[in-house]
Structure formats: C-alpha cells, structure tokens
Amino acid sequence: MKYLKTVLGEDESQLKAFSPVFHIDKLKAPVLLIHGAKDKRAPIEHAEALIKALEKHNHDYEYFELEAAGHGIYSNKDRAKHYQKVLDFIKQHLDT
C-alpha cells in the first residue's frame, strides 16, 4: 500500500481521473474483464465497480472470474481457461 500511495498518490481527483470506471463513455469496443477472485492487489470490488459502470452506460462487456487466481495467473489450468476466454472473445467480436 505504501508503494501504491507513493506511485499513484492520494489525491482523490487525480485517482478518479485514472480510474476506468469514470471513462466508460470513451470506450468504443466491447470489454473483456477477467479477474482473479483471490486478487489482493486489485480487490474484487474494483471489478464490481467497473461492471456497474459498464451496465449503467449499457456498454457491451463480458466478465470472467478465475476462482483460484490472484493478481497473476500462475496455474496452467487457469492460464488455459484465461487464454481460451480471450480467444473466444476476440473471435466473437472479429466475426461481427
């Protein structure tokens, strides 16, 4: 937390300016949001806030949660799920 405060600062207006939650209106493409359920660096509440903002703006998105993953995806099983989801998402949106 100390590192993040040093790098990002604590200015609420600046943090808000960095947050994708407040920039949904600038998106032009569908969003694939993949989150590790055990992520302590970026808590699940961050993903939930982004989902809420995407829904509020009626923006197309897909959410996929890896139950055993944290901030990184280290197991081969979870990596395979992750890459398959990315490939499926890209294929779906390239075909349209």
Side-chain angles (χ1 to χ4, degrees):
M1 291 305 292
K2 184 178 178 183
Y3 170 76
L4 291 176
K5 286 180 182 180
T6 300
V7 174
L8 299 175
E10 296 183 71
D11 181 302
E12 288 294 323
S13 63
Q14 189 174 21
L15 291 172
K16 187 176 179 180
F18 292 151
S19 175
V21 170
F22 300 100
H23 299 283
I24 303 299
D25 59 323
K26 297 176 186 171
L27 293 174
K28 301 203 185 309
V31 172
L32 173 60
L33 179 59
I34 299 176
H35 198 278
K38 296 182 178 180
D39 192 338
K40 292 183 177 150
R41 178 167 288 171
I44 195 76
E45 292 83 13
H46 293 192
E48 291 167 346
L50 185 54
I51 289 168
K52 186 175 178 180
L54 288 162
E55 289 176 348
K56 179 180 176 184
H57 286 84
N58 202 26
H59 191 87
D60 188 23
Y61 77 95
E62 188 172 336
Y63 177 68
F64 184 65
E65 185 175 308
L66 291 165
E67 293 179 20
H71 195 65
I73 304 170
Y74 300 107
S75 80
N76 288 335
K77 183 178 176 183
D78 280 346
R79 271 195 200 117
K81 289 179 189 177
H82 169 263
Y83 288 127
Q84 189 61 58
K85 183 58 79 175
V86 170
L87 288 171
D88 292 345
F89 185 81
I90 290 170
K91 183 177 182 337
Q92 175 188 355
H93 293 286
L94 284 179
D95 290 343
T96 57

